[in-house]
């Protein structure tokens, strides 16, 4: 976040950032050597400096010392979900830097060490058929937050199931994550003409369909509970259609100005969604949905850039969120 103290690093956000490095190399924004050098710095820091708890990382850490910055009083240790976003980024880099030379080989080996050291199965808190989000060296399991779907955490279960060193059995996925296919995991209702296989009323914030699918391709992917191509696309189209219909009559909502997800808002932070709509549009919502709704997302991109212009597009790109209704624009990115 551009408005946080400069030493505050978020582990999951770093995973998202790492995924942009192969893109930057591929599009000639930076050289492969520059991308590799940055990855070597990141991986060395994570491997040798950053605090780890049963192989997992904290939500926030000090980017100089590697020591945990508590996200809250009891959230001062492992965050398994944030760790999974970080690992998804690292595995993406591992696959991209596939050269046979010593430097890229060493980078891949170091990433494998980090991934293989995450004790996913330990986060069953005994032998429970569910994963737990947090563990603290001071408060143990007192956060008591089980990771159950549908939400942004599918990638956590996929990586845990994929681990060859600390894997989980299928029962943890089916009973813990998927609740054996029962509500609130399964939905099946139709909103604005689009059937939503999984999740809560009107689908929830759009980051549910973004975070996990940075590392997993939903196209053609299905299990006994859902077709994930349908899930991600229809979730997005419901969010879009809600903004177009604009039942709360916020000034500015349209087929060009849409997208509800987690963002800064005036005097705080909110996980905006059709069920929690306070007039704040987050550019990340529509723009991260390009794989699902390319035409609708392009309309939004052109509106944000050409119509809202320099109120929106600053030194780091688009600001985090805005409300035309209240004429509020975030100062953060």
């Amino acid at each position: 976040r551009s408005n946080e103290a400069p030493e505050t690093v978020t582990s999951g956000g770093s995973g998202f950032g790492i995924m942009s490095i192969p893109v930057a190399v591929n599009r000639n924004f930076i050289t492969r050597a520059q991308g590799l050098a940055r990855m070597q710095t990141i991986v060395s820091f994570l491997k040798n400096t950053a605090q780890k708890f049963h192989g997992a990382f904290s939500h926030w850490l000090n980017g100089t010392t590697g020591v945990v910055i508590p996200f809250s009083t009891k959230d001062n240790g492992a965050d398994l979900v944030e760790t999974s976003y970080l690992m998804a980024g690292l595995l993406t880099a591992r696959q991209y830097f596939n050269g046979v030379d010593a430097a890229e080989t060493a980078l891949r080996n170091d990433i494998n060490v980090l991934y293989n050291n995450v004790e996913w199965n330990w986060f069953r808190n005994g032998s429970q058929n569910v994963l737990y989000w947090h563990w603290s060296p001071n408060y143990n399991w007192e956060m008591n937050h089980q990771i159950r779907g549908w939400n942004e955490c599918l990638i956590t279960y996929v990586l845990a199931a994929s681990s060859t060193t600390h894997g989980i059995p299928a029962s943890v996925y089916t009973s813990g994550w998927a609740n054996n296919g029962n509500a609130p995991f399964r939905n099946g209702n139709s909103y604005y003409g689009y059937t939503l296989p999984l999740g809560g009323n009107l689908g929830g914030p759009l980051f549910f369909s973004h975070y996990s699918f940075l590392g997993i391709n939903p196209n053609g992917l299905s299990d006994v509970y859902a077709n994930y191509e349908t899930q991600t696309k229809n979730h997005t189209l419901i969010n879009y259609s809600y903004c177009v219909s604009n039942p709360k009559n916020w000034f500015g909502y349209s087929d060009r100005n849409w997208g509800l997800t987690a963002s800064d808002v005036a005097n705080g932070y909110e996980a905006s969604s059709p069920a929690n709509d306070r007039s704040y549009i987050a550019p990340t919502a529509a723009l991260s949905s390009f794989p699902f709704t390319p035409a609708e997302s392009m309309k939004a991109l052109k509106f944000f850039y050409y119509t809202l212009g320099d109120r929106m597009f600053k030194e780091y790109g688009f600001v985090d969120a805005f409300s035309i209704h209240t004429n509020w624009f975030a100062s953060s990115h």
Side-chain angles (χ1 to χ4, degrees):
R1 309 182 72 78
S2 64
N3 60 333
E4 284 291 343
E7 72 275 6
T8 302
V9 172
T10 177
S11 53
S14 295
F16 301 156
I18 287 167
M19 286 183 172
S20 71
I21 291 176
V23 177
V25 174
N26 196 56
R27 297 183 179 178
N28 298 312
F29 299 161
I30 59 175
T31 66
R32 188 179 182 96
Q34 288 173 315
L36 174 63
R38 179 53 59 105
M39 283 308 308
Q40 289 171 322
T41 299
I42 292 170
V43 169
S44 175
F45 177 82
L46 293 172
K47 183 183 176 188
N48 301 315
T49 305
Q51 271 190 293
K52 292 172 280 292
F53 308 89
H54 295 270
F57 293 84
S58 58
H59 190 142
W60 282 347
L61 62 154
N62 185 299
T64 301
T65 66
V67 174
V68 172
I69 296 175
F71 194 69
S72 65
T73 300
K74 294 183 178 180
D75 190 357
N76 68 337
D79 184 313
L80 194 65
V81 173
E82 292 289 317
T83 296
S84 67
Y85 302 145
L86 176 59
M87 290 299 152
L90 290 171
L91 293 175
T92 301
R94 182 193 71 181
Q95 297 307 108
Y96 184 78
F97 290 101
N98 57 1
V100 297
D101 58 286
E104 294 196 12
T105 299
L107 180 72
R108 293 194 300 275
N109 290 339
D110 285 344
I111 290 172
N112 284 335
V113 168
L114 288 168
Y115 175 56
N116 290 333
N117 283 347
V118 180
E119 298 175 26
W120 306 94
N121 57 345
W122 189 80
F123 286 86
R124 295 172 66 185
N125 186 8
S127 296
Q128 298 181 52
N129 279 334
V130 67
L131 293 174
Y132 279 75
W133 200 306
H134 311 92
W135 180 83
S136 162
N138 310 103
Y139 303 98
N140 294 300
W141 304 102
E142 287 185 31
M143 290 284 288
N144 197 34
H145 193 161
Q146 296 178 345
I147 308 171
R148 296 185 180 274
W150 178 255
N151 52 41
E152 72 275 25
C153 305
L154 174 64
I155 187 67
T156 308
Y157 277 83
V158 170
L159 290 177
S162 302
S163 173
T164 58
T165 51
H166 301 284
I168 59 170
S171 58
V172 179
Y173 176 86
T174 56
S175 298
W177 168 248
N179 195 32
N180 296 308
N182 298 314
F185 183 74
R186 190 170 257 159
N187 188 310
N189 294 316
S190 181
Y191 308 93
Y192 300 101
Y194 301 103
T195 300
L196 185 69
L198 306 175
N201 181 41
L202 291 161
L206 276 182
F207 70 85
F208 287 5
S209 284
H210 295 158
Y211 291 3
S212 287
F213 298 101
L214 285 163
I216 305 169
N217 184 357
N219 294 323
L221 181 69
S222 62
D223 63 10
V224 296
Y225 307 115
N227 176 302
Y228 292 94
E229 185 173 354
T230 301
Q231 171 69 26
T232 51
K233 184 169 185 176
N234 285 4
H235 179 205
T236 310
L237 286 169
I238 290 164
N239 197 289
Y240 165 80
S241 299
Y242 169 88
C243 293
V244 173
S245 68
N246 191 15
K248 293 193 173 183
N249 294 313
W250 300 125
F251 181 69
Y253 278 29
S254 73
D255 65 341
R256 299 184 303 153
N257 185 35
W258 64 276
L260 304 175
T261 194
S263 71
D264 288 341
V265 298
N267 303 311
Y269 182 84
E270 198 71 64
S272 297
S273 72
N276 180 35
D277 172 24
R278 294 172 47 201
S279 83
Y280 297 98
I281 297 292
T284 51
L287 302 187
S288 298
S289 298
F290 259 103
F292 313 135
T293 52
E296 295 86 350
S297 294
M298 182 60 79
K299 274 188 178 181
L301 173 60
K302 289 180 176 179
F303 177 78
F304 298 156
Y305 188 73
Y306 290 116
T307 303
L308 296 180
D310 59 9
R311 287 183 291 172
M312 274 278 287
F313 198 81
K314 311 266 184 177
E315 58 182 323
Y316 301 124
F318 292 116
V319 299
D320 190 55
F322 64 95
S323 169
I324 296 177
H325 186 83
T326 61
N327 196 31
W328 177 87
F329 289 80
S331 59
S332 55
H333 296 73

